[in-house]
Amino acid sequence: RALLAVSLNLMALLFSTTAFITTHWCEGTQRVPKPSCGKEKKTNCLNYSGNETANETNQNVVHYSWETGDDRFLFRYFHTGIWYSCEENINAAGEKCRSFIDLAPASEKVTTTALPLCVDTSSECPQELKWQLRSGQICCVLWLSVVSEVLYIMLLVVGFSLMCLELFHSSSVIDGLKLNAFAAVFTVLSGLLGMVAHMMYTQVFQVTVSLGPEDWRPHSWDYGWSFCLAWGSFTCCMAASVTTLNSYTKTVIEFR
């Protein structure tokens, strides 16, 4: 059981670290206007009046395009993580990335002088200030999510180290029980922090979809493999803690 707990804790640590540094928590498509056709771009663009030369040389001519509705837009792929959001580059090969922290509603927009006179749920609070208050709250939640993810990984490392000490360097039953108990406590705490961190990030992303920059807002999105790894890490973490507690209880009963 001790070896199983160590293996589960190691899997949780690997999954959580991979999810933390990757950018596939959420992925989907963004609807962006097609660029105008030119000499270097012939596809996935708007060809006004069917005449590229006139379009480029005569700026006084009224240009028109027969494309309507969604035909005037491109649907580019994007994926987002805790740190970065990357989008398909429609003008060149590859992707372009920007900080997700900058995309989330920023706390700098909050009018701090009006905060004591207005609360988010007050009927007297102007609608614009309500949005500013919510933006500040979301920014704080995002940073809390980042801090919780870091603490989650650190506690997993501590729990893994204690389990390894108990498994390979325990000299007596009493010492092994102490290490086992501390490892279980740290693993449970890390699991709770991880669950809170994942839920906070999910809330931040959903609000950013509604309040984020208009050129970034997704047309459609879903959770990606990094999100699955994060919750898989939480599952392995809690399984490791349960296994460790079970081993501790069994040892105490046998020792008595």
Side-chain angles (χ1 to χ4, degrees):
R1 292 182 180 180
L3 185 59
L4 176 61
V6 170
S7 302
L8 288 171
N9 197 302
L10 180 60
M11 288 179 61
L13 182 59
L14 292 175
F15 286 173
S16 61
T17 305
T18 303
F20 186 67
I21 62 177
T22 52
T23 58
H24 286 268
W25 283 67
C26 300
E27 53 190 24
T29 58
Q30 298 169 329
R31 192 174 75 162
V32 295
K34 287 183 180 180
S36 300
C37 293
K39 293 181 179 180
E40 298 180 354
K41 190 170 186 63
K42 305 291 185 180
T43 59
N44 292 328
C45 59
L46 291 177
N47 185 8
Y48 291 99
S49 304
N51 190 337
E52 297 174 6
T53 304
N55 188 24
E56 294 177 359
T57 58
N58 192 348
Q59 301 297 328
N60 296 323
V61 175
V62 177
H63 305 294
Y64 61 89
S65 172
W66 294 108
E67 296 186 75
T68 59
D70 286 343
D71 292 336
R72 298 178 60 85
F73 296 91
L74 290 175
F75 293 89
R76 66 181 178 188
Y77 171 76
F78 83 98
H79 52 92
T80 302
I82 293 178
W83 298 106
Y84 292 101
S85 176
C86 297
E87 306 147 9
E88 180 184 359
N89 194 341
I90 60 176
N91 296 318
E95 295 180 331
K96 56 180 181 180
C97 299
R98 43 184 166 171
S99 173
F100 181 73
I101 296 176
D102 293 337
L103 293 173
S107 59
E108 289 79 4
K109 297 179 181 178
V110 180
T111 307
T112 54
T113 56
L115 292 181
L117 304 176
C118 177
V119 293
D120 191 16
T121 56
S122 174
S123 59
E124 299 177 358
C125 183
Q127 186 65 28
E128 181 180 356
L129 189 53
K130 286 184 179 181
W131 285 112
Q132 292 177 355
L133 285 167
R134 292 171 187 172
S135 298
Q137 293 168 1
I138 292 303
C139 185
C140 293
V141 172
L142 176 58
W143 280 110
L144 282 174
S145 173
V146 172
V147 172
S148 299
E149 289 285 355
V150 173
L151 290 176
Y152 170 51
I153 295 174
M154 291 176 63
L155 288 176
L156 278 177
V157 172
V158 174
F160 177 74
S161 302
L162 291 174
M163 288 180 186
C164 289
L165 284 175
E166 189 269 334
L167 184 61
F168 299 110
H169 299 286
S170 180
S171 57
S172 66
V173 177
I174 300 299
D175 292 338
L177 283 175
K178 291 180 180 178
L179 290 171
N180 214 327
F182 279 111
V185 169
F186 279 109
T187 307
V188 170
L189 288 177
S190 66
L192 294 176
L193 269 175
M195 178 184 66
V196 171
H198 303 343
M199 293 175 65
M200 285 193 295
Y201 176 80
T202 303
Q203 180 186 10
V204 169
F205 180 83
Q206 291 175 350
V207 174
T208 306
V209 168
S210 302
L211 303 181
E214 292 186 3
D215 65 333
W216 176 86
R217 295 178 189 175
H219 177 71
S220 61
W221 64 275
D222 203 349
Y223 297 110
W225 57 266
S226 296
F227 183 84
C228 297
L229 276 183
W231 283 106
S233 170
F234 167 75
T235 303
C236 291
C237 174
M238 298 310 293
S241 65
V242 170
T243 305
T244 306
L245 285 173
N246 187 282
S247 177
Y248 172 82
T249 305
K250 182 181 178 181
T251 304
V252 168
I253 292 174
E254 291 177 352
F255 186 71
R256 288 181 177 178

